[in-house]
């Protein structure tokens, strides 16, 4: 059994205060972060690496498309990663699923990040596609699944109902802290969620609201509040020897880029370099995805 703290966080392309994003993440001290709306335009890979570095984490999964990433703490071993584009819709933002197969304390699990559409029909269709991708990953790696992200729908919606037929809604199972995740300044909706396989024990889930210094950073950092889930991941019934036997796939500290995403980029700061938090993260001034 391994205890894992997972954070789901929509960072709005770091358009607000990247240093505040890093402060929030460091204060929460997650083992894994499923991120939505990470930078995806100019110098996107460098900005993601700077974000991860500023948070004391490494990039475990994600590609340029769709602004998704999974970050993991140094003690969490990456076994594999996948990235799946979901079916497109004319005039709408492309959606995707980023998957990191991880191992904590010798126990394998899958952390997946997604960001669903504002439109009902594409959102519902994409949920079915996500379930299919995660079902194949669960079988391939013999590991339980945690899915986190911006659902863009309140509990009780059709997409939410489909997800909760297959997963546990972590907040509903073990509420702790705040419930509402949007907006950061004036929260009125719960549109961010963490879903887990039934085999995963949920200890607590919610928005941290006790620390006033931390909550003061929420509206500075982005337009969503951070959603934190503490879970216990146990060895699956099927032996995990296959996943454990795979080599650690980090490559360099922040992970090698996918072949499809290779492009010229500025050299990352050397490991010993110390810079301000805003310097390390940088800004993405392009239009963000809602």
């Amino acid at each position: 059994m391994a205890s894992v703290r997972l954070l789901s966080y929509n960072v709005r392309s770091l358009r607000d205060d990247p240093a505040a994003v890093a402060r929030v993440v460091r204060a929460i001290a997650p083992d894994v972060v499923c991120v939505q709306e990470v930078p995806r335009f100019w110098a996107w890979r460098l900005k993601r690496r700077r974000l991860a570095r500023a948070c004391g984490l490494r990039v475990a999964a994600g590609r340029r498309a769709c602004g998704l990433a999974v970050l993991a703490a140094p003690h969490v071993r990456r076994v594999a990663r996948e990235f799946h584009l979901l079916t497109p819709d004319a005039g709408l933002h492309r959606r995707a699923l980023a998957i990191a197969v991880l191992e904590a304390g010798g126990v394998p699990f899958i952390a997946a990040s997604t960001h669903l559409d504002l439109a009902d029909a594409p959102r519902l269709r994409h949920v079915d596609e996500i379930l299919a991708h995660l079902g194949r990953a669960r079988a391939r790696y013999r590991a339980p699944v945690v899915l986190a992200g911006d659902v863009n729908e309140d509990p009780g919606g059709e997409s939410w109902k489909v997800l909760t037929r297959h997963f546990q809604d972590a907040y509903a199972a073990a509420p702790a802290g705040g419930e509402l995740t949007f907006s950061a300044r004036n929260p009125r909706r719960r549109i961010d969620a963490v879903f887990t396989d039934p085999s995963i024990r949920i200890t607590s889930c919610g928005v941290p609201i006790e620390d006033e210094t931390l909550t003061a950073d929420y509206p500075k950092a982005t337009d969503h509040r951070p959603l934190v889930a503490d879970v216990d991941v146990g060895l699956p019934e099927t032996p995990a020897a296959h996943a454990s036997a795979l080599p650690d796939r980090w490559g360099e500290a922040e992970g090698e880029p996918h072949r499809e995403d290779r492009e010229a980029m500025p050299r990352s700061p050397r490991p010993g370099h110390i810079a301000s938090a805003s310097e390390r993260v940088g800004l993405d001034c392009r239009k963000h995805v809602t």
Side-chain angles (χ1 to χ4, degrees):
M1 186 78 71
S3 295
V4 175
R5 170 164 287 187
L6 184 139
L7 166 63
S8 183
Y9 206 13
N10 182 321
V11 299
R12 201 161 76 138
S13 298
L14 302 178
R15 288 164 48 92
D16 299 289
D17 184 348
V21 172
R23 287 195 301 270
V24 168
V25 175
R26 280 189 174 274
I28 291 170
D31 301 296
V32 180
V33 185
C34 292
V35 198
Q36 304 85 46
E37 292 193 33
V38 285
R40 59 192 178 95
F41 295 112
W42 183 82
W44 62 275
R45 188 181 293 117
L46 178 60
K47 290 175 182 178
R48 293 186 191 190
R49 288 177 172 176
R50 283 177 171 169
L51 172 63
R53 210 174 276 135
C55 297
L57 306 169
R58 300 187 289 182
V59 178
R63 279 168 50 185
R64 178 175 184 168
C66 309
L68 297 173
V70 179
L71 312 181
H75 65 271
V76 177
R77 175 175 172 261
R78 185 179 70 191
V79 174
R81 61 179 172 177
E82 297 182 8
F83 190 90
H84 301 281
L85 288 171
L86 306 179
T87 53
D89 291 271
L92 297 179
H93 291 291
R94 192 71 186 268
R95 303 294 172 172
L97 177 70
I99 295 175
V101 185
L102 304 170
E103 193 176 88
V107 179
F109 64 98
I110 294 167
S113 180
T114 196
H115 186 181
L116 297 176
D117 208 274
L118 289 164
D120 293 343
R123 182 170 59 243
L124 188 58
R125 186 182 76 250
H126 289 158
V127 165
D128 288 335
E129 295 174 25
I130 286 168
L131 291 172
H133 287 305
L134 291 177
R136 287 188 288 270
R138 185 188 294 110
R140 180 180 301 117
Y141 302 107
R142 307 177 207 174
V145 171
V146 180
L147 170 67
D150 181 347
V151 183
N152 265 326
E153 180 181 84
D154 296 287
E158 291 305 312
S159 298
W160 203 289
K161 289 177 183 176
V162 173
L163 287 165
T164 53
R165 282 201 292 268
H166 295 81
F167 295 114
Q168 302 177 91
D169 174 352
Y171 180 81
E179 175 183 7
L180 306 179
T181 63
F182 185 82
S183 67
R185 188 175 301 278
N186 187 23
R188 295 177 181 273
R189 303 179 65 193
R190 180 161 82 97
I191 61 172
D192 301 90
V194 175
F195 299 101
T196 77
D197 273 348
S199 63
I200 294 176
R201 185 172 69 188
I202 302 161
T203 304
S204 63
C205 182
V207 177
I209 55 174
E210 298 300 320
D211 185 337
E212 292 184 2
T213 302
L214 176 61
T215 58
D217 266 334
Y218 289 170
K220 299 175 186 176
T222 178
D223 58 345
H224 286 245
R225 291 192 160 201
L227 180 65
V228 183
D230 288 313
V231 301
D232 291 329
V233 183
L235 289 170
E237 293 180 6
T238 304
H242 171 73
S244 298
L246 292 173
D248 193 322
R249 297 295 188 183
W250 284 109
E252 62 183 60
E254 297 81 18
E256 288 294 332
H258 290 255
R259 182 174 301 165
E260 297 89 336
D261 287 332
R262 293 186 185 278
E263 65 179 22
M265 59 170 287
R267 184 179 297 275
S268 300
R270 62 186 184 279
H273 176 67
I274 299 175
S276 67
S278 58
E279 211 177 23
R280 290 193 301 267
V281 180
L283 293 171
D284 186 340
C285 297
R286 298 296 189 96
K287 183 178 179 180
H288 72 283
V289 183
T290 302

